[in-house]
Amino acid sequence: MLEHGGRLLRAARTYGIAPADWLDLSTGISPFAWPVPPIPAATWARLPDDEDGLVEVAQAYYGAPQLLPVAGSQAAIQTLPLLRSASRVGVIAPGYNEHAHAWRRAGHQVIELAAEELLARVDDVDVVVLIHPNNPGGDRFDLATLLACHARLAARGGWLIVDEAFMDAMPNDSLCPHTANEGLIVLRSVGKFFGMAGARAGFVCANVTLLDAAREQLGPWTVSGPARYVLRHALADLAWHAQARTRLQACSARLAQLLTKHDIVPTAGCAFFQWWRSERANDAHRALAAQGILTRLFDRPQSLRFGLPENDAAFKRLDAALAQCAR
């Protein structure tokens, strides 16, 4: 099992601070969660129904011609390598480590490269895996570049996989509308933007042939009935979407300003987090944890990711803790 953010209980034991007393900034999950309504009891009693309208609502939200609900994008990450014969796979680095891990575990040859080098070596691989915007590196790509990369891969049976888990705040940059094209696969997650990581739900956007193969591999009932009920309503709440995008962008900009004030100038970031690459990362992580503030520490490269504080009080607490670290 690879390391991920959100290990709050472990941090609580390590530092002797009760879980309720922590400010958890270790994930890229929005602190401004969509307000989940009461869930009808019947959704717990019946098997999930694929004809409940979720697919149609999701197609409208993502602009995708076809898609498949899955148990979070993690389920797709683990499944896609099983749908190809042995391949050469280029994965963006630094990035979400589960991508490279899943392809290696399935027996594929994997190289991990920075975004610029990876795009320059498209002809050397059969599959390219990108994260847009990248987590944690913050890399962003224009649509023309991505579509050109896809065309070169698809011409010889290759795939371009784009993990858009953090795309909801900038939907116009999504490749979802182009996923009817063979060999273009986009992964979407509801955990980050809607603040519902516990629902374990997401979508694969791709052509029908690939989605059918993924459905066969995953089996029935990939997303629970209660999660499907909530998603139908969350994905259709257009007014909330607009409000959340504005709020996330403003909060992330405020976080960047606060970090810069304390000589932690973000290397990159997006609407959901700020990322700081520095040899001081480990010391800063420990100093903040000693004050009950949890960040996400990366070893390769040495860096910290800061999630968004949820309110003024959280910003003030982070401000004071960073000031204390500097003493």
Side-chain angles (χ1 to χ4, degrees), residues 298-320:
F298 295 88
D299 295 326
R300 294 187 307 119
Q302 292 186 54
S303 56
L304 279 188
R305 188 185 64 199
F306 293 80
L308 304 182
E310 63 180 331
N311 52 35
D312 289 343
F315 268 100
K316 289 179 181 178
R317 181 175 175 184
L318 177 59
D319 190 9

Side-chain angles (χ1 to χ4, degrees), residues 163-223:
D163 182 344
E164 293 186 350
F166 294 96
M167 181 60 74
D168 299 71
M170 38 188 257
N172 292 337
D173 292 337
S174 174
L175 277 176
C176 286
H178 302 274
T179 49
N181 298 323
E182 186 173 351
L184 180 57
I185 304 159
V186 175
L187 311 183
R188 298 299 295 255
S189 168
V190 303
K192 309 301 188 298
F193 181 65
F194 293 95
M196 295 194 297
R200 303 312 308 136
F203 298 88
V204 182
C205 305
N207 69 78
V208 174
T209 301
L210 186 136
L211 293 181
D212 286 345
R215 185 180 290 107
E216 285 297 315
Q217 181 68 39
L218 289 164
W221 310 307
T222 55
V223 177

